[in-house]
Amino acid sequence: MEVLGDLVNHLIKSGVHGLAPLGSTGEVAYLNHEQKETIIKIVVAASNGRVPVISGVGSVSTAEAVKEAVKAEKLGVDGILAIMPTYFLPSENAIIEYFTSIANAVSCPVVLYNNPKISRADLNPKLVMQLAEINNIEYFKDASGNMGRVINIVNSNKIKLFSSSANIPATVFMLGGVGWMAGPACLIPKLCIKLFDICIQKKYSEAMELQKKIWKLNEAFQNDTPAACIKAGLILQGFEVGSPIHPQNSLSFADMEKLEKILTSLN
Amino acid sequence: MEVLGDLVNHLIKSGVHGLAPLGSTGEVAYLNHEQKETIIKIVVAASNGRVPVISGVGSVSTAEAVKEAVKAEKLGVDGILAIMPTYFLPSENAIIEYFTSIANAVSCPVVLYNNPKISRADLNPKLVMQLAEINNIEYFKDASGNMGRVINIVNSNKIKLFSSSANIPATVFMLGGVGWMAGPACLIPKLCIKLFDICIQKKYSEAMELQKKIWKLNEAFQNDTPAACIKAGLILQGFEVGSPIHPQNSLSFADMEKLEKILTSLN
Amino acid sequence: MEVLGDLVNHLIKSGVHGLAPLGSTGEVAYLNHEQKETIIKIVVAASNGRVPVISGVGSVSTAEAVKEAVKAEKLGVDGILAIMPTYFLPSENAIIEYFTSIANAVSCPVVLYNNPKISRADLNPKLVMQLAEINNIEYFKDASGNMGRVINIVNSNKIKLFSSSANIPATVFMLGGVGWMAGPACLIPKLCIKLFDICIQKKYSEAMELQKKIWKLNEAFQNDTPAACIKAGLILQGFEVGSPIHPQNSLSFADMEKLEKILTSLN
Amino acid sequence: MEVLGDLVNHLIKSGVHGLAPLGSTGEVAYLNHEQKETIIKIVVAASNGRVPVISGVGSVSTAEAVKEAVKAEKLGVDGILAIMPTYFLPSENAIIEYFTSIANAVSCPVVLYNNPKISRADLNPKLVMQLAEINNIEYFKDASGNMGRVINIVNSNKIKLFSSSANIPATVFMLGGVGWMAGPACLIPKLCIKLFDICIQKKYSEAMELQKKIWKLNEAFQNDTPAACIKAGLILQGFEVGSPIHPQNSLSFADMEKLEKILTSLN
């Protein structure tokens, strides 16, 4: 897993403000405990305090997720991105219980992650408001793509906002978003940081032009899982990260070529 | 229907740049041909050339929709908003045929309207690009809420963009959108125009603050159909527009009170 | 429309126990009032009292549906199949109101038709039980495909059951179903009646064998709307019924050939 | 876990023809490897060859699922029920790969389990036919509720059929189904066996009456996960099986009372 340390160094040198291993794209739902532990250790060691590490945590079982969160904190992460994979469709009570249990088990800050199309656990504004009452639940990362709900949550002033790739990051920043955790940043870190910077400087016209350009990368992610796409892109850039975890398929040759063209046009 | 003429005058005096009767909120799917004809006649007469009139057209049957479009053009509208209500789930071919038939039957500009959650006819970027080849299909109004797709379409430079209420209008304008056709403008026309104006002037920070404020009105539209909400709001403002067409329910007393509070806070 | 009269005669001679014009497959959602009136007149006249006529009634607007129901009764139908096409997603109150309004406007028996995948108005068991309290709401035709719900409704003993093609008719009959209203009966009336007859005689093993054979026709209906399939089949049998109403597409040549083979194998 | 051995003895004494630990209701998606191993050991030991043991196997990762299957076979199970939990929506290729990998890794018979509403991996008839070509994929257990598809698969004569609780078991048996793996059998084993027996004897009228009676238990399973319901029922019968694995909620007192009444009425 030397390649992971190399990637961490590359990203930090490119200027990223933090690292978020084990998110959705980081295959949190496909890895076993040992694999997750190894990844956190490598990222924490390679980062070596230069930038904060926010580790994804998630399991279909609450107890397993809590165990993972506690372990991650012990291994030195600076925050937890709490993800809720599901099997049976969870009730609202189940959703509240899951995130509350994780937050109560650690003392570091927790980011709520909402991705109902994938996880089927829908953190609607009412649930987010309720969970925001918990002390260390400080952030909300929305991947629902429903910007109306995001504005509702922003209007409440109760929780800070991270962008995902499912929303338009430039818009999230304009609404006061504090950051962006997204797979594409692995492939085009400098452009992503530039977008963040010019948004912070309120140069919004310029930001939207850059946003439109960057979006071409999202357009390449239609036919495959995000992990398959990011791994393919990293291989194109010389990082030998291997195949996505099966049953995820690798990119077809045609999709690989398309991705290469877009990456070239962006660099 | 004197009240409709009064509303037209009120909106034009408030500064709206155009009128769009018979959209989704305008109950296009609930009215019969005679009722639709009456509405177009009143709006065209009351508008009297002061602002363009873009009339909604839509029927489960292509032939009926074409008939409506031809009639609307004869009655003097300046453009057609083409809406596709459905019964059986339409194939991509059926979607192309429907919008092509309408566009070919008129000489005025046509706006494609996409609202897949309601109409189940999904105008994905591929179909929009294909339809944009037709001469008088000049505009696309997206109500899918999927901003990623909207950026894809903007990046193509093949069709001009209108915002609906399902997207964030401020963001649509930043992406180059040319206008906004939305129910809430009936209730808060001056604020909507102000939002458009400051977006055009590229005062995006100010725009996003206003956008967040205006969004509170959208939050009032959760439990009821848009027609029920807009009619309730208009009654609160003194326009006796009656109940939404059944089986749509009128607002409960509680929802009516909530709406009144929001409208008061916005004026 | 001479062909419609011919079809009526053909079906009655083939032994059908009733006629159900203007159902989903009968394009109720695609036809205007004049067309619907014409169809009812022809079917009532051609049937001439030999078998009961149950006419489909449905409109996005409650008032229009009520008008249709009253007109159908005046034109001599023996019962109403109440269908609820929708535009905005209806609330439970809206669903109750719609079917209640239709039932109260006529004195003939009413069949509730549930097809939530198409109409998005979901008549769940609770709503069916509530509507069954109305005097002339005597039947329920389920096309949800959810047999568990059908058993719930059968267990209530409050309403009689018709099968559609979305459920397994043989199973519906075993559960006490009183009949079957289905598009395929237009193409293979004798086999459908035979299935009904041997179910009534409780020859269930034989019935299930026939059911499996008949089901091959359903398998031909995957790629096209039911109206497109039935019209294609009728043309193959010499009834010049024309194309499905647009934007519905006609069958491709390949699908037409597949349908012809299946029909041949069934006759 | 003495209680699990007791339950096994109770079920075998009640006459069940086999045991299926670690299905959906058996919380396969909520347990870690050690817990799954413990359960298989207990069930195999307690069963002691009296009836076959078909163990559920499933993981979001193909490799983990394969490891589980191999381990289960080593521990002495007689067959594998292959279940596909997912995170990212799987492609058809991913589905084929997953089930093929499991089947190739063991020499015992494999049952394909389809439950698209829960797992989002839809084993449509085309995929089932393709997988049925693999030697030891001998059975298909459908929980999609889509009986039409089940008939398609039966008509193909390529794979043997098990019923789940989502379909009507009596109907599945009439169509030639060879068995039934279902949570409710834990609570009413004798009635379930009786239903199977009279179906095998082709006493279908009697079977459907019993089916309607048994279905009342399914009606109790509306508000809670199946594991929560079955565990609640087992506790009512004196088996101290504990709570469902969190975040699943236990039954409310009201649902518990309702379940108790139904169980009493069935015994």
Side-chain angles (χ1 to χ4, degrees):
Chain A
M1 295 288 278
E2 210 185 306
V3 65
L4 181 55
D6 292 346
L7 181 57
V8 164
N9 279 319
H10 163 70
L11 291 172
I12 295 180
K13 280 180 199 161
S14 301
V16 301
H17 305 149
L19 294 163
L22 298 175
S24 277
T25 306
E27 302 185 310
V28 65
Y30 295 81
L31 296 160
N32 64 30
H33 288 315
E34 295 69 38
Q35 293 167 319
K36 291 183 191 180
E37 189 171 334
T38 304
I39 285 169
I40 294 175
K41 281 180 180 166
I42 294 173
V43 173
V44 167
S47 167
N48 195 22
R50 289 179 288 174
V51 297
V53 175
I54 317 298
S55 173
V57 153
S59 171
V60 171
S61 147
T62 306
E64 300 285 321
V66 164
K67 218 186 296 177
E68 278 187 16
V70 169
K71 169 64 70 94
E73 194 172 33
K74 253 186 217 155
L75 293 173
V77 305
D78 302 283
I80 296 289
L81 175 68
I83 299 168
M84 187 174 184
T86 63
Y87 188 70
F88 294 123
L89 195 68
S91 66
E92 293 200 341
N93 282 344
I95 296 173
I96 290 290
E97 186 208 281
Y98 180 84
F99 288 104
T100 302
S101 300
I102 291 175
N104 286 342
V106 294
S107 54
C108 63
V110 171
V111 187
L112 299 176
Y113 179 62
N114 189 37
N115 195 345
K117 281 172 210 156
I118 300 299
S119 98
R120 303 186 311 149
D122 188 11
L123 280 164
N124 62 43
K126 189 188 74 177
L127 297 182
V128 173
M129 297 299 92
Q130 196 177 328
L131 287 165
E133 300 296 329
I134 294 172
N135 237 347
N136 59 335
I137 294 186
E138 300 183 26
Y139 303 93
F140 178 62
K141 175 183 170 186
D142 181 71
S144 73
N146 186 330
M147 278 303 295
R149 279 191 179 183
V150 170
I151 299 190
N152 295 359
I153 288 165
V154 164
N155 274 342
S156 79
N157 276 317
K158 288 204 174 161
I159 196 161
K160 281 171 278 183
L161 200 61
F162 273 105
S163 185
S164 71
S165 289
N167 288 314
I168 311 295
T171 306
V172 173
F173 298 143
M174 290 184 68
L175 287 167
V178 298
W180 178 13
M181 292 176 185
C186 286
L187 300 182
I188 48 167
K190 287 183 186 167
L191 280 179
C192 290
I193 295 154
K194 189 173 169 193
L195 180 61
F196 179 77
D197 286 344
I198 58 182
C199 282
I200 293 302
Q201 297 159 30
K202 296 186 188 291
K203 296 178 185 168
Y204 293 127
S205 303
E206 197 185 329
M208 209 49 111
E209 284 315 303
L210 180 56
Q211 178 66 83
K212 285 197 264 181
K213 190 178 155 193
I214 288 179
W215 200 261
K216 288 185 205 300
L217 188 56
N218 293 56
E219 292 177 42
F221 287 14
Q222 308 293 325
N223 306 321
D224 306 277
T225 70
C229 294
I230 297 297
K231 284 189 163 176
L234 286 171
I235 288 170
L236 287 170
Q237 297 182 341
F239 295 95
E240 290 302 334
V241 294
S243 304
I245 299 177
H246 287 235
Q248 294 176 91
N249 306 121
S250 294
L251 264 61
S252 68
F253 189 70
D255 280 354
M256 197 82 173
E257 275 198 307
K258 198 177 149 193
L259 178 59
E260 186 164 23
K261 260 185 216 158
I262 292 172
L263 283 176
T264 305
S265 81
L266 287 176
N267 281 306
Chain B
M1 296 287 280
E2 210 186 307
V3 65
L4 180 54
D6 292 347
L7 181 58
V8 165
N9 279 320
H10 163 70
L11 292 172
I12 295 180
K13 280 180 197 161
S14 302
V16 301
H17 305 148
L19 294 163
L22 298 175
S24 278
T25 306
E27 301 186 311
V28 65
Y30 295 82
L31 295 160
N32 63 31
H33 288 317
E34 295 70 37
Q35 293 167 319
K36 292 184 191 179
E37 189 171 335
T38 304
I39 285 169
I40 294 175
K41 281 179 179 166
I42 294 172
V43 173
V44 168
S47 166
N48 195 21
R50 289 178 289 174
V51 298
V53 175
I54 316 299
S55 173
V57 152
S59 171
V60 171
S61 148
T62 306
E64 301 284 321
V66 164
K67 218 187 294 177
E68 278 186 15
V70 169
K71 168 65 71 91
E73 193 172 33
K74 254 186 216 152
L75 293 174
V77 305
D78 303 283
I80 295 289
L81 175 68
I83 299 169
M84 187 174 184
T86 62
Y87 189 70
F88 294 124
L89 196 68
S91 66
E92 293 200 342
N93 282 344
I95 296 173
I96 290 291
E97 186 207 281
Y98 180 83
F99 288 103
T100 302
S101 301
I102 291 175
N104 287 341
V106 295
S107 54
C108 61
V110 170
V111 187
L112 298 177
Y113 178 62
N114 189 37
N115 195 344
K117 282 173 210 154
I118 299 299
S119 99
R120 303 186 308 149
D122 189 12
L123 280 164
N124 62 44
K126 189 189 73 176
L127 298 182
V128 173
M129 297 300 92
Q130 197 176 330
L131 288 165
E133 299 297 328
I134 294 172
N135 237 348
N136 58 335
I137 295 187
E138 300 182 25
Y139 302 93
F140 178 62
K141 175 185 170 184
D142 180 71
S144 72
N146 186 329
M147 278 304 294
R149 280 190 179 183
V150 170
I151 299 190
N152 295 359
I153 288 164
V154 165
N155 273 342
S156 79
N157 275 318
K158 288 205 174 160
I159 195 160
K160 282 170 277 182
L161 199 61
F162 274 105
S163 185
S164 71
S165 290
N167 288 314
I168 312 296
T171 306
V172 174
F173 298 143
M174 290 184 67
L175 288 167
V178 298
W180 178 13
M181 292 176 185
C186 286
L187 301 181
I188 48 167
K190 287 182 186 168
L191 280 179
C192 290
I193 295 156
K194 190 173 169 192
L195 180 61
F196 178 77
D197 285 345
I198 60 183
C199 282
I200 293 302
Q201 298 158 29
K202 297 186 187 289
K203 297 179 184 167
Y204 293 128
S205 304
E206 197 185 329
M208 209 48 112
E209 285 314 303
L210 180 55
Q211 177 68 81
K212 284 198 264 179
K213 190 179 157 192
I214 288 179
W215 199 262
K216 289 186 202 301
L217 188 56
N218 293 56
E219 293 177 40
F221 287 15
Q222 308 292 325
N223 306 320
D224 306 277
T225 70
C229 294
I230 298 297
K231 284 189 163 175
L234 287 171
I235 288 170
L236 287 169
Q237 297 182 341
F239 295 95
E240 292 300 336
V241 292
S243 304
I245 298 177
H246 288 234
Q248 294 177 90
N249 306 122
S250 294
L251 264 62
S252 67
F253 188 70
D255 279 354
M256 197 82 173
E257 273 198 307
K258 198 178 150 194
L259 178 58
E260 186 164 23
K261 260 185 215 158
I262 292 172
L263 283 177
T264 305
S265 81
L266 287 176
N267 281 305
Chain C
M1 294 287 280
E2 210 185 306
V3 66
L4 180 56
D6 292 347
L7 180 58
V8 164
N9 278 320
H10 164 69
L11 291 172
I12 295 179
K13 278 180 199 161
S14 301
V16 301
H17 305 149
L19 294 163
L22 298 175
S24 277
T25 305
E27 302 186 311
V28 65
Y30 294 81
L31 295 160
N32 63 31
H33 288 315
E34 294 70 38
Q35 292 167 321
K36 293 184 190 178
E37 189 171 334
T38 305
I39 285 169
I40 294 175
K41 280 180 180 168
I42 294 172
V43 174
V44 168
S47 167
N48 196 19
R50 289 178 288 173
V51 297
V53 175
I54 317 299
S55 173
V57 152
S59 170
V60 171
S61 146
T62 306
E64 300 284 322
V66 164
K67 220 187 293 178
E68 278 185 16
V70 169
K71 169 64 69 94
E73 194 171 33
K74 253 186 217 155
L75 293 173
V77 305
D78 303 282
I80 296 289
L81 176 68
I83 299 169
M84 187 175 185
T86 62
Y87 189 70
F88 295 123
L89 196 68
S91 66
E92 293 200 342
N93 281 344
I95 296 173
I96 290 291
E97 186 208 280
Y98 180 83
F99 289 103
T100 302
S101 300
I102 291 174
N104 286 343
V106 295
S107 54
C108 64
V110 170
V111 187
L112 298 176
Y113 178 62
N114 190 36
N115 196 345
K117 280 173 212 154
I118 299 299
S119 99
R120 304 186 308 150
D122 188 12
L123 279 163
N124 63 44
K126 189 188 73 174
L127 297 182
V128 173
M129 295 301 92
Q130 196 176 330
L131 287 165
E133 300 296 328
I134 294 172
N135 238 347
N136 59 334
I137 293 185
E138 300 183 26
Y139 302 93
F140 178 63
K141 175 184 171 185
D142 181 71
S144 73
N146 187 330
M147 279 305 294
R149 279 191 180 183
V150 170
I151 299 190
N152 295 0
I153 288 165
V154 164
N155 273 341
S156 79
N157 276 319
K158 288 205 173 161
I159 195 160
K160 281 171 276 182
L161 200 60
F162 274 103
S163 185
S164 72
S165 289
N167 288 314
I168 311 297
T171 306
V172 174
F173 298 143
M174 290 184 68
L175 288 167
V178 298
W180 179 14
M181 292 177 187
C186 285
L187 300 182
I188 48 166
K190 286 183 186 166
L191 280 179
C192 289
I193 295 156
K194 189 174 170 193
L195 179 60
F196 179 78
D197 285 344
I198 60 183
C199 283
I200 293 303
Q201 297 158 28
K202 297 186 187 291
K203 297 179 183 167
Y204 294 127
S205 304
E206 195 184 332
M208 210 48 109
E209 285 314 304
L210 181 55
Q211 178 68 80
K212 284 197 265 181
K213 190 177 156 195
I214 288 179
W215 199 261
K216 289 186 204 299
L217 188 55
N218 294 56
E219 293 178 40
F221 287 15
Q222 307 293 324
N223 306 321
D224 306 276
T225 70
C229 294
I230 298 297
K231 284 189 164 175
L234 287 171
I235 287 171
L236 286 170
Q237 297 181 343
F239 295 95
E240 292 300 334
V241 293
S243 305
I245 298 177
H246 288 233
Q248 294 177 89
N249 306 121
S250 294
L251 265 62
S252 67
F253 189 70
D255 280 353
M256 197 85 173
E257 274 199 306
K258 197 177 150 195
L259 178 59
E260 186 164 23
K261 259 185 217 158
I262 292 172
L263 283 176
T264 306
S265 81
L266 287 175
N267 281 305
Chain D
M1 295 288 281
E2 211 187 304
V3 65
L4 180 56
D6 292 347
L7 180 59
V8 164
N9 279 321
H10 164 69
L11 291 172
I12 295 179
K13 279 182 200 159
S14 302
V16 300
H17 305 150
L19 293 163
L22 298 174
S24 277
T25 305
E27 301 185 311
V28 67
Y30 295 82
L31 295 161
N32 63 32
H33 288 315
E34 296 69 38
Q35 292 167 321
K36 292 183 190 179
E37 189 172 333
T38 305
I39 285 169
I40 294 175
K41 282 180 178 165
I42 294 173
V43 173
V44 167
S47 168
N48 197 19
R50 289 179 287 173
V51 297
V53 175
I54 316 299
S55 173
V57 153
S59 171
V60 171
S61 148
T62 306
E64 301 284 323
V66 165
K67 219 187 295 178
E68 278 186 15
V70 170
K71 168 64 69 94
E73 193 172 33
K74 253 187 217 153
L75 292 174
V77 305
D78 304 282
I80 295 289
L81 175 68
I83 299 168
M84 188 175 184
T86 63
Y87 188 70
F88 294 122
L89 195 69
S91 66
E92 293 199 343
N93 282 344
I95 296 173
I96 291 290
E97 186 208 279
Y98 180 84
F99 288 104
T100 302
S101 300
I102 291 174
N104 286 343
V106 296
S107 55
C108 63
V110 171
V111 188
L112 299 176
Y113 178 62
N114 190 37
N115 195 346
K117 281 173 210 155
I118 299 299
S119 99
R120 303 185 310 148
D122 189 12
L123 280 164
N124 62 45
K126 189 189 72 177
L127 298 182
V128 173
M129 296 301 91
Q130 197 176 329
L131 288 165
E133 299 297 327
I134 294 172
N135 237 348
N136 58 335
I137 294 186
E138 300 183 26
Y139 303 93
F140 179 63
K141 174 183 170 187
D142 180 71
S144 73
N146 186 330
M147 279 304 294
R149 280 191 179 182
V150 170
I151 299 190
N152 295 359
I153 287 164
V154 164
N155 273 342
S156 79
N157 275 318
K158 288 204 174 163
I159 196 160
K160 281 171 277 183
L161 200 60
F162 274 105
S163 185
S164 72
S165 289
N167 287 314
I168 311 295
T171 306
V172 173
F173 299 143
M174 290 183 68
L175 287 167
V178 298
W180 178 14
M181 293 175 185
C186 286
L187 300 181
I188 48 168
K190 288 184 186 167
L191 280 179
C192 290
I193 295 154
K194 189 174 170 194
L195 179 61
F196 179 77
D197 285 345
I198 58 183
C199 282
I200 293 303
Q201 297 158 30
K202 297 187 188 288
K203 297 179 184 166
Y204 294 127
S205 304
E206 197 185 330
M208 210 47 112
E209 286 314 305
L210 181 55
Q211 178 67 82
K212 285 197 263 180
K213 191 178 155 194
I214 288 179
W215 199 261
K216 289 185 203 300
L217 189 56
N218 293 55
E219 293 179 39
F221 287 14
Q222 307 294 323
N223 306 321
D224 306 277
T225 70
C229 294
I230 297 297
K231 285 189 162 175
L234 287 171
I235 287 171
L236 287 170
Q237 297 180 343
F239 296 94
E240 292 301 334
V241 293
S243 305
I245 299 177
H246 287 235
Q248 294 176 89
N249 307 121
S250 294
L251 265 61
S252 67
F253 189 71
D255 280 354
M256 196 85 175
E257 273 198 306
K258 197 177 149 194
L259 178 60
E260 186 165 22
K261 258 184 218 161
I262 292 172
L263 283 176
T264 305
S265 81
L266 286 176
N267 282 305

